[in-house]
Amino acid sequence: MAPSAYQAGRRLLLFLVCAIGTLTPPSPAQAWDDFGHRIIARIAWERLSDEARERAIALLAQAPEEAHVTAAAAPVRWFPNRELFVAASVWADDIKAGSPYNQPTWHFVNLSWETLANGKTRDRADRVLPREHLLERLAVLSDLLADPARPESERALDLAWLIHLVGDVHQPLHVSNRLTASEPEGDRGGNLFPLHTPPDALQPMPLHAWWDRLLSFRFPRRQGETERERVERAADGITRRHSFPELRSRLAAGDFWGWGKESLALAQTVVYAPPLERGWAPPEAYFDRSWRAIEPAIALAGYRLAELLERRLRVTPTPPAE
């Protein structure tokens, strides 16, 4: 049976992105591409109360000029406040290596685990974590954001980091470090797990980079569509399929370690499971299963971010809209 136009287009997109990915190998600190982070922030924005939105925008406007937190959103003609909030979600990835604001170790945590001979997984809690990591920073920055005695310029950066890191913790390979006989120290969140790429590519594309681009694979840009419209289309589709009332019981408000454990479970049960094979391109069945597993997590990331900011920005709680 001949492939549909959608299937053919998706295969071409996967090929092209893999090729591009081999030319610009990702940093181990990067999670979701800009598109993915913007979707999560857009979902959160739609859940925030007017009071929380106003407080968030007022804070972001106080960010130090040299940090360039607001630069990505200017100039914006339509919905400038919303677009500033959404643009802030990618600031932490846009910081250059020489910037004093750059904190590469904040984006991930290496929760080590291995697969036993019987096929079951075992967490390796004996592996020591660094002092600062993704789950630790979420808790610290959440408290710092809520501190009214802290300068607003600093709370602005706390907010920008939180908008970003809530997205990071929902990328399974940002909490995973898989141990194997060939990689006894772990695969660094799939960065050492190569996938097949075109023969003329400079190097293989890591599994981590493939997952970073999963949302872009799922929502390729349509002809004539702006990036803002593409983000809106993706966010609306995800929240229609996974509404807040459906996921309300899974919010686990402020349980950052719980969120991390959820993502780790996805890494253990979905990310490395067949039909994925080391050194081969992920087949379409893997793509479809991965998307079914991660789509509700993307919705949850947006809902959790909104709930976190409602609390930490010290606004009056309001009943969530159904």
Side-chain angles (χ1 to χ4, degrees):
M1 179 182 297
S4 67
Y6 170 74
Q7 291 171 325
R10 187 165 73 180
R11 289 172 186 171
L12 176 61
L13 176 66
L14 289 172
F15 177 89
L16 292 174
V17 175
C18 284
I20 293 169
T22 62
L23 297 175
T24 55
S27 161
Q30 193 169 2
W32 303 128
D33 56 14
D34 285 2
F35 180 64
H37 276 290
R38 289 173 187 272
I39 291 171
I40 292 170
R42 175 61 186 268
I43 292 172
W45 179 264
E46 297 303 324
R47 289 292 311 166
L48 286 173
S49 66
D50 289 342
E51 188 180 0
R53 289 177 179 178
E54 291 173 6
R55 187 66 186 124
I57 296 305
L59 265 184
L60 290 173
Q62 297 302 312
E65 184 176 354
E66 66 273 14
H68 303 295
V69 172
T70 62
V76 175
R77 292 178 57 192
W78 295 280
F79 310 107
N81 288 348
R82 184 186 70 193
E83 296 311 311
L84 171 57
F85 182 87
V86 170
S89 70
V90 301
W91 169 76
D93 274 346
D94 288 344
I95 302 172
K96 303 302 181 183
S99 169
Y101 301 102
N102 187 33
Q103 299 290 347
T105 65
W106 291 11
H107 298 256
F108 67 95
V109 57
N110 285 330
L111 300 181
S112 298
W113 60 282
E114 60 189 349
T115 302
L116 304 177
N118 61 6
K120 294 184 178 181
T121 60
R122 177 177 67 181
D123 294 342
R124 291 291 302 274
D126 58 303
R127 296 302 178 101
V128 178
L129 298 175
R131 185 175 66 86
E132 293 185 352
H133 56 74
L134 173 57
L135 300 179
E136 177 268 345
R137 284 292 97 186
L138 280 168
V140 169
L141 291 168
S142 175
D143 288 341
L144 290 175
L145 178 63
D147 182 1
R150 187 169 169 79
E152 292 206 339
S153 60
E154 296 179 9
R155 293 177 71 201
L157 299 182
D158 300 335
L159 173 57
W161 271 109
L162 279 174
I163 295 171
H164 183 83
L165 295 184
V166 170
D168 280 357
V169 75
H170 289 85
Q171 208 278 43
L173 288 173
H174 265 246
V175 301
S176 168
N177 186 43
R178 180 177 180 246
L179 311 182
T180 61
S182 61
E183 291 158 352
E185 297 303 314
D187 70 350
R188 296 174 55 227
N191 275 293
L192 302 182
F193 190 109
L195 300 176
H196 172 76
T197 50
D200 58 344
L202 298 180
Q203 62 183 34
M205 182 185 194
L207 178 63
H208 187 113
W210 190 92
W211 271 84
D212 281 350
R213 293 159 172 79
L214 185 57
L215 281 89
S216 286
F217 293 156
R218 184 65 180 86
F219 298 97
R221 183 179 292 182
R222 295 172 176 171
Q223 185 174 3
E225 185 177 47
T226 67
E227 186 67 1
R228 177 179 60 82
E229 291 167 340
R230 182 184 176 216
V231 169
E232 181 178 12
R233 171 169 61 89
D236 288 350
I238 290 170
T239 53
R240 278 199 309 271
R241 289 184 290 274
H242 304 282
S243 66
F244 180 82
E246 173 194 339
L247 297 178
R248 184 201 301 267
S249 63
R250 294 180 54 190
L251 274 183
D255 181 10
F256 304 121
W257 278 90
W259 300 356
K261 289 292 187 179
E262 282 182 10
S263 289
L264 180 62
L266 285 177
Q268 294 170 336
T269 60
V270 175
V271 173
Y272 292 92
L276 182 73
E277 291 188 48
R278 189 183 188 92
W280 292 87
E284 192 162 330
Y286 179 80
F287 176 94
D288 291 338
R289 190 189 62 191
S290 298
W291 179 249
R292 287 194 302 271
I294 204 62
E295 187 179 33
I298 297 299
L300 262 176
Y303 300 151
R304 285 168 168 168
L305 175 58
E307 189 278 340
L308 176 65
L309 297 187
E310 288 285 351
R311 292 170 178 261
R312 293 310 190 181
L313 291 174
R314 295 185 179 273
V315 297
T316 304
T318 56
E322 296 297 335

